[in-house]
Amino acid sequence: MATRSTLSTALALGLTLAAGAHADEGMWMPTQLPDLAKPLKAAGFKGNPADLANVTAAPLSAVVRAGGGTGSFVSEDGLLLTNHHVAMGVIQYNSTAEHNLIDGGFIAQGRSDERPSNPDFRVLVTTGFDKVTDEVLRDARGKTGRAYFDAVDRASKRLVAECEQEGNVRCSVADMYYGTDFYRIRQLELSDVRLVYAPPRAIGNYGDEIDNFMWPRHTGDFTLLRAYVGKDGKPAAYSPDNVPYHPPAHLKMAIDGPKTGDFAMLAGYPGITYRHRTAAEFAGQIDTVLPRRVAVFQQMIDTIEATTAKDAQARTRYAAQLQSLKNNRKRAAGELEGLLRSDAKTQRASDEAAMLKATDATWQPDIQALLGSLSQGASMGERDFVLEQAAAQSQLLRSALLLERLRIESAKPDTERESGYQQRDQALIEGTLKQVQRRYASEVEKALLTNLLTRYQQLPDAQRVPEFDAAFGRTPAALVKALDTLYSGTRLGDEAERLSRFAAAKEGKALAHDPLIDLAGPLVAAQLRMEGERKEREGEQLRLRPAYMQALFAWRAKQGRAVYPDANRTLRISYGKVEALSPRDAVHFDPVTTVAGIVEKNTNAFPFDAPKPLLAAIAKGDFGSTADPVLKTQTVNFLTNLDTTGGNSGSPVLNARGELIGLNFDSNWESVSASWWFDPRFKRAVHVDMRYLRWLLAKVYPAPALLTEMGVPAE
Amino acid sequence: MATRSTLSTALALGLTLAAGAHADEGMWMPTQLPDLAKPLKAAGFKGNPADLANVTAAPLSAVVRAGGGTGSFVSEDGLLLTNHHVAMGVIQYNSTAEHNLIDGGFIAQGRSDERPSNPDFRVLVTTGFDKVTDEVLRDARGKTGRAYFDAVDRASKRLVAECEQEGNVRCSVADMYYGTDFYRIRQLELSDVRLVYAPPRAIGNYGDEIDNFMWPRHTGDFTLLRAYVGKDGKPAAYSPDNVPYHPPAHLKMAIDGPKTGDFAMLAGYPGITYRHRTAAEFAGQIDTVLPRRVAVFQQMIDTIEATTAKDAQARTRYAAQLQSLKNNRKRAAGELEGLLRSDAKTQRASDEAAMLKATDATWQPDIQALLGSLSQGASMGERDFVLEQAAAQSQLLRSALLLERLRIESAKPDTERESGYQQRDQALIEGTLKQVQRRYASEVEKALLTNLLTRYQQLPDAQRVPEFDAAFGRTPAALVKALDTLYSGTRLGDEAERLSRFAAAKEGKALAHDPLIDLAGPLVAAQLRMEGERKEREGEQLRLRPAYMQALFAWRAKQGRAVYPDANRTLRISYGKVEALSPRDAVHFDPVTTVAGIVEKNTNAFPFDAPKPLLAAIAKGDFGSTADPVLKTQTVNFLTNLDTTGGNSGSPVLNARGELIGLNFDSNWESVSASWWFDPRFKRAVHVDMRYLRWLLAKVYPAPALLTEMGVPAE
């Protein structure tokens, strides 16, 4: 296993990219960049690639995790730039009916006026990134299945615990290349983060859902925060006595802006991608998983709309769930559309076939075993999805399942409980149980469960679960009868009934009788059994996938291409260029937008209600030093071909000299499918032009001190 | 008056266009073209402009009115090209449940298989175009108001009657430049028109409402018909013995297609424009008329949606009316948006101010009197619109008003009856009365009338009508009570009740009692009084507008610009070029689309359900001689900056050599406002590329004989 790991390093990192071969695809680990020096330079990078390798030194140490996204320090006094949507919780936390900072925006009048963030907002500064592959895999070697999974899990937990002993740090173990390599990441945890500057919502979220995923775009999706620490320089909870944090590095704001063809690079914490999955997984996603998701979500949308058509109260209660289902449906349909447009299935299949033909015999047995395990899991896909949705889309059934599982887990010592059911999770569970009241109507829940469980009833025997069959019968008539009986008998619609059982469950005590609670006993037992089977498969896949990756490394090496690990919320770098988009026949979009588009879109009504001061400033045309020298006007957003995914929100975009030119905040609709397949024709990332930020701070909602602090002209 | 008319001719026609001054604006009368020889040549026209002056000789005699649009002959045997949507009635008439020619398309297997059109479809070939200004105005001179109006009306009717004596012709008198000049148009009326070739609906109307007004476009909106005449060569009703009509001229299909910058010209019968209206009329349209239309339509949309929310039957009955209101609202909002975007109000106002300052004192008194009369009419605008909508959007109230007016008109000799109430209109009125059944629900009608009449109640005293006040009261409470009483008492909801009164009304006999019928007596009397006042104003405006036009001719002459008459359904020519469109910030559209876009838009579901044979042919890529030599693929639609409006549907688009390159079928959304204001940045017309037609006939749904007949390669 050590051999494999060493080989992987050599193959994945020790290569230079063949010219033109997917030159812009890649979410690289910083440690890979010195080996990518040649293509980086060829792309236009003017700095030293070796400087990018160390995540704990400048410039990468300026790039941090912030809330659910990415942020970057932009001054030596801890000023932090991220997206308006990433900092939305902070802005909301400081808003009141009288002082609505979401609508009105916020400019701190000096540091003492900077506002504390919501208590759970965190900034994480990476201070260590060490390979721990041998430590993680030592005990796992020779094991298979669930035992392999548990050994990796135990070793990882031990490494995290050791690392966190020193305090003030959050540690984690990241799996790179699907079980091939493991890295321990150490992060400083800053919890005193304050709101410094936020534009009004109609700038920070101009266009809202209508413009989401759209290009051309005209959104000032940025906010400035500031990190504070105790007087001793160490992380501390909020206190008025705290002092600004001095980050190990900060980014320098560029003076010039981007134009077509310019080199661009981006650092951030992309969430999850599936680019190195097998051809069978691609086929499954395209032929089965996504069409199933579209169909099931659509059926639930239709069901909610039909059952609430004549019931205004129910309509209100299900509005958020309906919106979420519509978003999920749209997302799945967009991903499917993109994968079909790129012909990803055929392309991945022919690539894999050629790889398997060329690969060393050493890896073949594990690869074949992997494909078998994946196929086994896929054969249960419909059942797993339908039963998961039955819990996720219901309120009372979900409550009963949640309470029963909490009861079981709470009987164990806290550290042994399944994550999600530990003591620290109890507040969240209580919140979930409380909100049922505002989201439930029995007729709608029964109709949704009828849909989903009818689908379950039609599954072949191999996918059946005796406990579910017993609970809901095997015919539509039996199902209707079972649901009617359950929902006419249950008292879980009352908050008090749910909360009294919550009190018992979190002590691991038996739950008082109720038809749904009684049913949850066998159903949760079945869920636990299926979870065990899943972990068994996942353990096998964790053991076997490295062979597939080794074959891939060797195959890509033959093609002259390096391999980046699929995204996993660790720090990555992508590089490419400012690039226009021609998404459809006869349609061409410029890569840079201007304030003219704000005026064109403005309707004075949400979400295109541009603030009066912004419209006045645009009409005045006083763009000063931030005007684009060629366009002769103020730019707003720009487009690059950088490789991004969810989690890259707030990522800084740098020019060839490593200066800050943009702030990543979205992708175009055509690249929704990029989590699986990078198509250079369509994959674009959408950024705020830093000149727009500078103009707003200089001329529209002035904050000259902040511009000075960032080292750019204050007007 | 003769002097004026002569001067108008000199000024309007005797000028050459200053280079660059709105070079592409203009719906020119053919007789103007010899005087536009210089700009025409400069734009790239290779023919002799003098050849375009005569509407009764080649090539213009090939351009005819067809159904509600334009058509052109494309073979010496009467083959006629027009839009699929213009010929829809013909296609529908020949469709049955078994042989649905709309969905499946149609290819005649030889001439004997060509199918007769619906009986009211007509093709009109212009055979005369003579100036009759003196004859029309002779008796009107010295008169004012209603008397002026009636004198013009009488003279026109006399000229038409004289002209139509010879039979087989339809004649009309067209008012050019708002009462300045009049032309008598003589048209041969062909009623034996047959369906020869129609593509399937999913080609001819690919994209339907979703793509309507949109660019890029991928629609094969064409159909081929053939005109037949009796064996004696004269127009005749359908008979199997009839023979193909030999038109005075036919257009030659081009071999090459259009590309950016190419000269293009178009001939057709544009409906109505308002370009030469006064600045006050522009201001009224932008500040009052369009916002009012948007608001009133929106309120009616909301009302129908709210009152039918819980009533599926009512929802069905009001579906068509709701759709029509939504279209009207969208259209008005688009027109308003466009006029605001072009700043048309300011531009027209400053142009008119400069004109009035420069104009000869001769015209000033009439111009001032005109502005006074227009202002008087505008002050009644809200009342007139609201009362017109109360009739138009209701079913029972409209029926009652219609029956009462029919009764009054039917008491007169047929020729003296108001048009719309003559014997030939009775079938249409009966149809209207019959369809009430399928379009009426009393709660919805009461709610709509409550909205509209509440608006009426809020009008100032100057706009009040005693009969309406008496009928509906002057307070909301009185209105509600009046409507409740009327609708609980009326029996007009029964078809038999309406038809028995129709039988009496068309004989001019008294109508049997009914609350709504009784009310219609005073209301129609009020309508007739208001109609009289309107005709009085219109007569004055007809008398006075020529002075405004003379001032405009002189002002444009100073600018080096000729003046075309506003569109009035007479034959016009516009010329310009193939031109791309950049409608919004960072958005650019190519002027030519390709079959790739058909595949991109295809969802296999209406309206993007491209036929399988089309998709297969595109995949095969066998485009032969119709492929674009640069794009290396098959083109579909293209865009020009030609000046068009409703009625130009089916207009042929010609290249610099006068050959047929395209078929006009739509405009882009940004040019909805072009009926008032031509903005060269946004005004485009959308055409079918004749190479697409040729490819479909050669390779997809073959009709080689038709290609041969049109003189182009059959494959």
Side-chain angles (χ1 to χ4, degrees):
Chain A
M1 210 61 182
T3 321
R4 284 191 186 184
S5 179
T6 311
L7 179 58
S8 82
T9 307
L11 286 174
L13 309 183
L15 291 165
T16 54
L17 209 66
H22 287 253
D24 305 310
E25 174 177 352
M27 299 172 170
W28 306 101
M29 291 191 292
T31 47
Q32 292 182 282
L33 289 175
D35 296 305
L36 293 167
K38 208 167 150 187
L40 246 180
K41 288 285 188 185
F45 182 58
K46 303 289 184 210
N48 180 1
D51 292 346
L52 300 174
N54 188 349
V55 301
T56 65
L60 283 189
S61 53
V63 183
V64 299
R65 288 205 55 173
T70 298
S72 60
F73 288 113
V74 290
S75 88
E76 59 182 15
D77 285 345
L79 198 62
L80 182 81
L81 175 67
T82 189
N83 290 142
H84 187 264
H85 76 266
V86 169
M88 181 51 96
V90 184
I91 303 168
Q92 203 157 22
Y93 183 75
N94 286 287
S95 289
T96 61
E98 300 81 50
H99 297 284
N100 184 333
L101 306 191
I102 300 173
D103 285 352
F106 176 70
I107 307 173
Q109 304 301 313
R111 294 201 182 161
S112 60
D113 189 37
E114 295 174 355
R115 307 292 166 85
S117 70
N118 42 320
D120 53 342
F121 192 85
R122 291 287 182 279
V123 166
L124 301 175
V125 185
T126 302
T127 57
F129 184 77
D130 304 295
K131 199 187 239 188
V132 291
T133 309
D134 286 342
E135 291 92 320
V136 170
L137 293 183
R138 192 176 299 123
D139 290 347
R141 279 173 201 140
K143 297 194 171 70
T144 62
R146 178 69 186 258
Y148 189 92
F149 183 95
D150 289 342
V152 168
D153 193 45
R154 270 195 309 274
S156 300
K157 281 181 171 160
R158 194 184 60 242
L159 286 163
V160 166
E162 283 167 17
C163 173
E164 289 187 346
Q165 271 181 342
E166 67 184 75
N168 286 329
V169 296
R170 277 255 289 262
C171 300
S172 57
V173 169
D175 166 6
M176 302 288 185
Y177 304 113
Y178 297 108
T180 305
D181 277 329
F182 294 86
Y183 288 80
R184 182 171 63 186
I185 296 155
R186 179 187 283 111
Q187 294 175 309
L188 199 66
E189 185 173 28
L190 304 177
S191 61
D192 185 357
V193 182
R194 305 190 194 170
L195 180 62
V196 178
Y197 185 104
R201 186 267 310 146
I203 289 177
N205 188 24
Y206 192 58
D208 194 53
E209 286 300 325
I210 295 177
D211 260 11
N212 192 16
F213 282 121
M214 289 298 122
W215 182 262
R217 197 67 166 277
H218 299 87
T219 307
D221 190 356
F222 72 90
T223 288
L224 287 161
L225 307 171
R226 191 187 303 281
Y228 281 78
V229 288
K231 281 183 176 163
D232 58 358
K234 290 188 178 160
Y238 171 80
S239 158
D241 296 334
N242 284 349
V243 297
Y245 170 66
H246 296 299
H250 70 271
L251 299 176
K252 183 177 178 312
M253 188 76 77
I255 294 297
D256 297 339
K259 61 179 194 303
T260 303
D262 278 1
F263 173 88
M265 63 187 295
L266 164 153
Y269 293 83
I272 181 158
T273 58
Y274 309 88
R275 305 258 181 86
H276 304 319
R277 295 294 179 106
T278 66
E281 286 174 292
F282 268 71
Q285 185 76 0
I286 294 166
D287 296 338
T288 311
V289 175
L290 290 172
R292 176 198 295 148
R293 292 174 69 86
V294 172
V296 171
F297 291 144
Q298 184 62 52
Q299 196 180 27
M300 289 195 279
I301 289 165
D302 293 344
T303 300
I304 293 178
E305 287 183 339
T307 50
T308 63
K310 296 181 179 174
D311 181 345
Q313 192 188 49
R315 209 150 52 229
T316 306
R317 288 185 173 175
Y318 281 83
Q321 188 170 341
L322 185 65
Q323 188 55 48
S324 156
L325 282 166
K326 285 182 176 176
N327 286 345
N328 286 339
R329 189 211 164 281
K330 184 180 169 190
R331 188 78 187 233
E335 190 177 322
L336 182 57
E337 184 185 304
L339 291 172
L340 292 172
R341 183 171 47 224
S342 298
D343 197 16
K345 187 171 92 168
T346 315
Q347 295 222 38
R348 187 72 194 87
S350 66
D351 181 41
E352 183 183 86
M355 175 189 91
L356 291 177
K357 202 172 158 196
T359 201
D360 195 294
T362 323
W363 314 119
Q364 291 286 13
D366 277 7
I367 290 175
Q368 292 313 316
L370 170 68
L371 299 180
S373 170
L374 289 171
S375 153
Q376 209 180 15
S379 70
M380 296 295 156
E382 171 122 21
R383 179 194 74 186
D384 290 351
F385 178 66
V386 164
L387 295 184
E388 171 201 309
Q389 290 297 313
Q393 304 293 339
S394 64
Q395 293 294 338
L396 298 202
L397 178 61
R398 171 169 53 183
S399 297
L401 295 170
L402 200 55
L403 287 164
E404 170 64 5
R405 181 71 186 262
L406 179 64
R407 183 192 67 74
I408 294 169
E409 299 294 335
S410 298
K412 307 176 193 167
D414 195 59
T415 52
E416 289 175 26
R417 296 176 192 170
E418 182 73 11
S419 82
Y421 297 91
Q422 293 176 291
Q423 273 172 18
R424 63 188 186 121
D425 303 313
Q426 289 176 359
L428 192 66
I429 294 175
E430 187 174 3
T432 303
L433 293 170
K434 278 185 177 167
Q435 69 167 7
V436 167
Q437 226 61 32
R438 286 178 289 111
R439 295 167 166 254
Y440 170 72
S442 69
E443 287 311 310
V444 185
E445 178 149 333
K446 280 198 291 181
L448 286 171
L449 288 175
T450 303
N451 283 157
L452 290 164
L453 294 171
T454 300
R455 228 170 238 278
Y456 166 77
Q457 286 186 332
Q458 288 157 5
L459 292 175
D461 282 352
Q463 294 195 50
R464 308 209 70 80
V465 188
E467 294 86 345
F468 279 82
D469 284 350
F472 301 110
R474 295 197 59 162
T475 64
L479 172 62
V480 167
K481 195 169 160 231
L483 289 173
D484 282 345
T485 308
L486 283 165
Y487 280 83
S488 63
T490 184
R491 296 175 62 195
L492 291 188
D494 290 343
E495 183 172 313
E497 296 282 344
R498 294 191 302 276
L499 293 184
S500 68
R501 287 177 181 82
F502 171 69
K506 68 181 180 177
E507 303 301 328
K509 295 181 186 160
L511 306 178
H513 161 78
D514 177 274
L516 277 173
I517 291 286
D518 300 348
L519 188 72
L523 295 189
V524 169
Q527 284 180 327
L528 287 169
R529 189 176 69 246
M530 291 185 276
E531 193 175 297
E533 290 161 7
R534 197 160 51 241
K535 282 181 179 170
E536 170 73 23
R537 284 195 302 273
E538 282 173 8
E540 271 302 271
Q541 290 161 18
L542 192 64
R543 181 176 76 86
L544 298 166
R545 258 191 222 268
Y548 186 90
M549 293 308 299
Q550 297 298 343
L552 187 72
F553 296 152
W555 175 239
R556 290 282 178 266
K558 280 192 186 133
Q559 296 172 318
R561 291 170 57 185
V563 179
Y564 56 89
D566 258 318
N568 60 356
R569 297 215 162 271
T570 60
L571 185 58
R572 303 296 180 89
I573 291 177
S574 86
Y575 66 91
K577 59 174 187 268
V578 178
E579 191 174 7
L581 173 65
S582 295
R584 293 180 295 285
D585 182 44
V587 177
H588 308 284
F589 297 138
D590 289 338
V592 180
T593 62
T594 74
V595 289
I598 295 173
V599 180
E600 287 168 3
K601 288 178 177 175
N602 181 58
T603 61
N604 292 320
F606 177 85
F608 294 109
D609 48 348
K612 294 268 173 298
L614 176 63
L615 293 173
I618 294 170
K620 195 174 162 202
D622 175 17
F623 305 124
S625 66
T626 58
D628 185 276
V630 174
L631 301 173
K632 307 285 182 206
T633 182
Q634 183 58 54
T635 59
V636 179
N637 292 154
F638 69 102
L639 210 57
T640 65
N641 62 3
L642 293 170
D643 196 356
T644 56
T645 194
N648 273 123
S649 280
S651 286
V653 183
L654 311 177
N655 64 16
R657 294 181 302 279
E659 298 162 345
L660 186 66
I661 52 169
L663 176 65
N664 183 62
F665 73 99
D666 200 11
S667 299
N668 55 316
W669 175 244
E670 292 77 14
S671 63
V672 168
S673 53
S675 53
W676 284 79
W677 184 258
F678 183 100
D679 189 328
R681 295 172 298 171
F682 302 117
K683 174 66 186 78
R684 298 291 183 277
V686 180
H687 318 299
V688 181
D689 191 325
M690 284 299 97
R691 293 174 295 180
Y692 183 50
L693 176 150
R694 286 168 47 208
W695 177 64
L696 290 172
L697 268 68
K699 309 274 186 179
V700 190
Y701 294 93
L706 294 175
L707 290 170
T708 303
E709 183 179 347
M710 291 186 281
V712 287
E715 62 179 41
Chain B
M1 209 60 183
T3 320
R4 284 190 187 184
S5 180
T6 311
L7 179 57
S8 81
T9 306
L11 287 174
L13 308 182
L15 290 165
T16 54
L17 208 66
H22 286 256
D24 305 310
E25 175 178 351
M27 299 172 170
W28 306 103
M29 291 192 292
T31 46
Q32 291 182 283
L33 289 175
D35 297 303
L36 292 166
K38 208 167 152 187
L40 246 179
K41 287 285 186 185
F45 182 58
K46 303 291 183 208
N48 179 3
D51 291 347
L52 300 173
N54 189 348
V55 301
T56 64
L60 283 189
S61 53
V63 183
V64 299
R65 288 205 56 175
T70 297
S72 60
F73 287 111
V74 290
S75 89
E76 60 183 12
D77 284 344
L79 198 61
L80 183 80
L81 175 68
T82 189
N83 290 143
H84 188 265
H85 76 266
V86 168
M88 182 51 96
V90 184
I91 303 169
Q92 203 157 22
Y93 183 75
N94 286 287
S95 289
T96 61
E98 300 82 50
H99 298 284
N100 185 333
L101 306 191
I102 300 173
D103 285 352
F106 176 71
I107 308 174
Q109 304 302 313
R111 293 198 182 162
S112 61
D113 190 36
E114 294 173 356
R115 307 292 166 87
S117 69
N118 44 319
D120 53 344
F121 192 86
R122 290 288 181 279
V123 166
L124 302 175
V125 185
T126 301
T127 56
F129 185 77
D130 304 295
K131 197 186 237 187
V132 291
T133 309
D134 286 341
E135 291 91 320
V136 170
L137 294 183
R138 192 175 299 122
D139 289 346
R141 281 173 198 137
K143 299 193 170 70
T144 63
R146 178 71 186 257
Y148 190 93
F149 184 95
D150 289 342
V152 168
D153 193 46
R154 268 195 311 273
S156 300
K157 281 181 171 158
R158 193 184 60 240
L159 286 163
V160 166
E162 282 168 16
C163 174
E164 289 186 347
Q165 270 180 342
E166 67 185 76
N168 286 329
V169 295
R170 278 254 290 261
C171 299
S172 57
V173 170
D175 166 6
M176 302 288 184
Y177 304 113
Y178 297 107
T180 305
D181 277 328
F182 294 86
Y183 287 79
R184 182 170 62 185
I185 295 154
R186 178 187 284 112
Q187 294 173 310
L188 199 65
E189 184 173 29
L190 304 177
S191 60
D192 185 358
V193 182
R194 304 188 195 171
L195 180 62
V196 178
Y197 185 104
R201 187 267 309 147
I203 289 177
N205 189 23
Y206 193 56
D208 195 52
E209 286 300 325
I210 296 177
D211 261 11
N212 191 17
F213 282 122
M214 289 298 122
W215 182 261
R217 195 67 165 278
H218 299 86
T219 307
D221 190 355
F222 71 90
T223 287
L224 287 162
L225 307 172
R226 190 186 305 278
Y228 281 78
V229 288
K231 283 183 174 163
D232 58 358
K234 291 189 176 160
Y238 171 81
S239 159
D241 298 334
N242 284 349
V243 297
Y245 171 65
H246 296 299
H250 70 271
L251 300 175
K252 183 177 179 309
M253 187 77 74
I255 294 298
D256 297 340
K259 60 178 195 302
T260 304
D262 278 0
F263 173 88
M265 63 188 292
L266 166 154
Y269 293 83
I272 182 159
T273 58
Y274 309 89
R275 305 257 181 85
H276 303 318
R277 295 294 179 109
T278 67
E281 287 174 292
F282 269 70
Q285 185 76 359
I286 295 167
D287 296 338
T288 311
V289 175
L290 290 172
R292 177 198 295 147
R293 290 175 71 86
V294 172
V296 170
F297 290 143
Q298 185 62 52
Q299 196 180 27
M300 289 195 278
I301 290 166
D302 294 343
T303 300
I304 293 178
E305 287 183 338
T307 49
T308 62
K310 297 181 180 177
D311 181 345
Q313 192 188 50
R315 209 148 55 229
T316 307
R317 288 185 172 175
Y318 280 85
Q321 188 170 343
L322 185 64
Q323 189 53 49
S324 156
L325 283 166
K326 285 182 175 176
N327 285 345
N328 287 339
R329 188 211 165 282
K330 186 179 168 192
R331 189 77 189 235
E335 188 177 323
L336 182 57
E337 184 185 305
L339 291 172
L340 292 171
R341 183 171 49 225
S342 297
D343 197 17
K345 187 172 93 171
T346 314
Q347 296 223 38
R348 187 71 195 87
S350 66
D351 180 42
E352 183 185 86
M355 174 189 93
L356 291 177
K357 201 170 157 198
T359 201
D360 195 294
T362 323
W363 315 119
Q364 292 287 13
D366 277 7
I367 291 175
Q368 292 313 316
L370 170 69
L371 299 181
S373 171
L374 290 171
S375 153
Q376 208 180 17
S379 70
M380 295 297 156
E382 171 121 20
R383 179 194 75 186
D384 289 350
F385 180 64
V386 165
L387 296 184
E388 171 200 308
Q389 290 297 313
Q393 304 292 340
S394 64
Q395 293 295 338
L396 298 203
L397 178 61
R398 172 169 51 182
S399 298
L401 295 170
L402 200 55
L403 287 164
E404 170 65 5
R405 181 72 185 264
L406 178 64
R407 182 191 68 75
I408 293 170
E409 298 295 335
S410 298
K412 308 177 193 168
D414 194 60
T415 52
E416 288 175 26
R417 296 175 192 172
E418 183 73 11
S419 81
Y421 296 91
Q422 293 176 291
Q423 273 171 18
R424 63 186 187 124
D425 302 313
Q426 288 176 0
L428 192 68
I429 293 175
E430 186 174 4
T432 303
L433 293 170
K434 278 186 175 167
Q435 68 166 8
V436 166
Q437 226 61 31
R438 288 177 288 112
R439 296 169 165 251
Y440 170 72
S442 70
E443 287 311 311
V444 185
E445 177 149 334
K446 280 199 290 181
L448 285 171
L449 289 175
T450 304
N451 284 157
L452 289 164
L453 295 171
T454 299
R455 228 170 237 279
Y456 166 79
Q457 287 186 333
Q458 288 156 5
L459 292 174
D461 282 352
Q463 294 194 51
R464 307 207 71 80
V465 188
E467 293 86 345
F468 280 82
D469 284 350
F472 301 109
R474 296 197 58 161
T475 65
L479 173 61
V480 168
K481 196 169 160 232
L483 289 173
D484 281 345
T485 308
L486 283 166
Y487 280 84
S488 63
T490 184
R491 298 174 62 193
L492 290 189
D494 291 344
E495 183 172 311
E497 297 281 344
R498 294 191 301 278
L499 293 184
S500 68
R501 286 177 183 82
F502 170 69
K506 70 180 180 176
E507 303 300 327
K509 294 181 185 161
L511 305 178
H513 161 79
D514 178 274
L516 277 173
I517 292 286
D518 299 349
L519 188 72
L523 295 189
V524 170
Q527 284 180 327
L528 286 169
R529 191 175 66 246
M530 291 186 276
E531 193 175 296
E533 289 161 8
R534 198 158 53 239
K535 282 183 179 169
E536 169 74 23
R537 284 195 303 272
E538 282 173 9
E540 272 301 271
Q541 289 161 19
L542 191 66
R543 181 177 75 86
L544 297 166
R545 257 193 223 268
Y548 186 90
M549 292 308 298
Q550 297 299 342
L552 187 72
F553 295 151
W555 175 239
R556 289 283 178 266
K558 279 191 187 136
Q559 297 171 319
R561 290 171 58 188
V563 180
Y564 55 90
D566 258 317
N568 59 357
R569 297 216 162 270
T570 59
L571 184 59
R572 303 296 180 90
I573 290 177
S574 87
Y575 67 92
K577 59 174 186 268
V578 177
E579 192 175 9
L581 173 66
S582 296
R584 295 180 295 284
D585 183 42
V587 177
H588 308 283
F589 297 136
D590 289 338
V592 180
T593 62
T594 75
V595 289
I598 295 173
V599 180
E600 288 168 3
K601 288 179 178 175
N602 182 58
T603 60
N604 293 320
F606 177 86
F608 294 108
D609 49 347
K612 295 268 173 295
L614 175 64
L615 293 172
I618 294 170
K620 195 175 162 202
D622 174 18
F623 305 124
S625 67
T626 58
D628 186 276
V630 175
L631 301 173
K632 308 284 181 204
T633 183
Q634 183 58 55
T635 59
V636 179
N637 291 154
F638 69 101
L639 211 55
T640 64
N641 64 2
L642 293 170
D643 196 356
T644 57
T645 194
N648 274 122
S649 281
S651 286
V653 183
L654 310 178
N655 66 14
R657 293 181 303 278
E659 298 163 345
L660 187 66
I661 52 170
L663 176 64
N664 183 63
F665 72 99
D666 201 12
S667 299
N668 54 316
W669 174 244
E670 292 77 14
S671 63
V672 168
S673 52
S675 53
W676 284 78
W677 184 258
F678 184 98
D679 188 327
R681 295 172 299 171
F682 302 117
K683 174 67 186 78
R684 298 292 182 277
V686 179
H687 318 299
V688 181
D689 191 325
M690 285 299 97
R691 293 174 296 180
Y692 183 51
L693 175 149
R694 286 169 46 208
W695 177 65
L696 290 171
L697 268 67
K699 309 275 186 178
V700 190
Y701 294 93
L706 294 176
L707 291 170
T708 304
E709 184 180 346
M710 291 187 280
V712 288
E715 60 179 40

